[in-house]
Amino acid sequence: MTDSNQTCDVGQESVPYMTCLIHILEAWFDVEQLEDYLNFANYLLWVFTPLILLILPYFTIFLLYLTIIFLHIYKRKNVLKEAYSHNLWDGARKTVATLWDGHAAVWHGYEVHGMEKIPEEGPALIIFYHGAIPIDFYYFMAKIFIHKGRTCRVVADHFVFKIPGFSLLLDVFCALHGPREKCVEILRSGHLLAISPGGVREALISDETYNIIWGNRKGFAQVAIDAKVPIIPMFTQNIREGFRSLGGTRLFRWLYEKFRYPFAPMYGGFPVKLRTYLGDPIPYDPKITAEELAEKTKNAVQALIDKHQRIPGNIMSALLERFQKKQKIN
């Protein structure tokens, strides 16, 4: 039916192969004007793809609110148990951690390399690179709680505490915005604490080149020195390919510097492979200064980026890498 010119005969006419295929499908499914339906479907795909890419980042925020709703329900359901148990929220934390761990596995094939470097007990300060959305840290906290049975406290930007409805979420998962003395107290009490020195500025301004934007910040280093704890560097591969921010543009950068709120839009939600790498702990050294420790930690995080991240990052390459490897395994 098909010749070397990819044509076929329909009645008395020779038509292109694709047209012939459409005629065959129309006869097979007993549907008329199938080509019009296909053109319409292609048009819808063209129209809605940008919308989907813009909506996916906010799906993460939706999950956070879903978590908050669950915590409120859990709190009401267990109001009688609160008087008898000092661990009211452990069941809620475990359920939420399981939900986020499931999302991490399905959507990003999330992995943590170097989990053994997190102590089973005792304090440590985890220093991490901040993506446009720190979804990797949400996944990491879930892994820590599930596999180590530990809650990792985290220092969050002040604006997060002003988001309506977030107070319960932040309380249950032990988020704080400082000050330095509070961070030292938490570490001296034997807890894990995580800080991203780049914070919101790094989230907005850094890009697919994965440049570290810490400025002259060394407060985290002073916290580690005062608490006499090791620092564990952390970086997640492809975190910028999962979500991107337009915060580096002149307008949105000016808005952030002016109002200290992340007004910049984000896009993404791409199901790229995410792997969190934990570097070798930097032990407490009473002879080192905060400036020297901050620089040493920055170099350790940069070494993880150099070793595990393709520079510049590429969304399509990250997607192909994940799904091609998945096909080979299958």
Side-chain angles (χ1 to χ4, degrees), residues 21-321:
L21 181 60
I22 289 172
H23 285 310
I24 293 173
L25 292 174
E26 286 176 348
W28 190 9
F29 291 109
D30 195 21
V31 175
E32 296 182 356
Q33 304 300 324
L34 181 61
E35 186 172 5
D36 291 339
Y37 288 114
L38 294 175
N39 288 336
F40 181 65
N42 185 58
Y43 171 75
L44 290 178
L45 182 64
W46 177 79
V47 169
F48 286 109
T49 295
L51 294 178
I52 293 171
L53 295 181
L54 289 172
I55 290 171
L56 279 175
Y58 300 98
F59 179 71
T60 301
I61 298 175
F62 168 76
L63 284 179
L64 289 172
Y65 273 105
L66 194 64
T67 300
I68 293 167
I69 292 171
F70 168 78
L71 292 174
H72 278 291
I73 295 172
Y74 188 92
K75 183 179 181 180
R76 295 289 180 266
K77 184 178 179 181
N78 293 275
V79 65
L80 294 176
K81 294 182 180 179
E82 189 170 9
Y84 303 96
S85 173
H86 296 292
N87 298 311
L88 173 68
W89 296 112
D90 277 354
R93 290 190 186 103
K94 189 168 185 178
T95 303
V96 170
T98 301
L99 289 171
W100 278 92
D101 191 54
H103 181 269
V106 172
W107 196 248
H108 291 291
Y110 181 67
E111 301 172 0
V112 176
H113 295 261
M115 182 70 81
E116 69 280 358
K117 295 171 184 177
I118 301 295
E120 297 291 338
E121 57 183 23
L125 179 59
I126 300 167
I127 301 297
F128 65 98
Y129 172 86
H130 203 303
I133 294 181
I135 194 169
D136 58 321
F137 187 74
Y138 308 154
Y139 295 159
F140 177 73
M141 283 202 306
K143 287 283 189 187
I144 289 291
F145 192 81
I146 291 171
H147 296 287
K148 299 279 187 177
R150 306 194 65 182
T151 300
C152 183
R153 277 94 172 142
V154 61
V155 175
D157 193 273
H158 69 90
F159 91 90
V160 178
F161 294 85
K162 298 179 182 179
I163 300 176
F166 265 50
S167 59
L168 178 61
L169 177 71
L170 297 170
D171 287 343
V172 171
F173 286 95
C174 308
L176 62 149
H177 57 79
R180 183 185 302 171
E181 293 74 19
K182 181 64 175 177
C183 295
V184 173
E185 178 186 338
I186 287 172
L187 289 167
R188 284 178 176 173
S189 299
H191 298 294
L192 297 173
L193 178 66
I195 299 176
S196 174
V200 176
R201 179 177 281 105
E202 187 170 78
L204 295 177
I205 299 174
S206 187
D207 53 22
E208 63 273 16
T209 62
Y210 287 84
N211 50 321
I212 295 175
I213 303 176
W214 292 4
N216 295 318
R217 292 183 178 179
K218 55 182 183 295
F220 71 92
Q222 191 62 56
V223 165
I225 292 172
D226 292 344
K228 301 180 180 180
V229 299
I231 289 178
I232 302 175
M234 170 178 147
F235 169 72
T236 299
Q237 182 187 63
N238 293 329
I239 188 59
R240 286 279 167 186
E241 279 56 73
F243 293 91
R244 292 277 175 91
S245 169
L246 300 179
T249 60
R250 182 177 299 179
L251 172 62
F252 294 117
R253 189 166 182 169
W254 177 85
L255 286 172
Y256 173 72
E257 299 296 346
K258 181 73 174 178
F259 300 103
R260 285 295 187 271
Y261 277 88
F263 292 110
M266 294 171 290
Y267 66 96
F270 303 108
V272 298
K273 182 75 173 181
L274 295 182
R275 297 183 182 91
T276 290
Y277 291 93
L278 297 166
D280 293 330
I282 301 171
Y284 165 68
D285 182 355
K287 298 179 181 180
I288 198 172
T289 66
E291 291 83 358
E292 292 170 337
L293 182 56
E295 186 64 25
K296 191 173 184 179
T297 306
K298 184 177 180 180
N299 291 338
V301 174
Q302 186 64 57
L304 291 175
I305 295 173
D306 293 341
K307 182 177 181 180
H308 300 292
Q309 183 60 52
R310 173 179 177 174
I311 304 291
N314 183 280
I315 295 171
M316 187 57 66
S317 296
L319 287 170
L320 289 173
E321 178 188 2

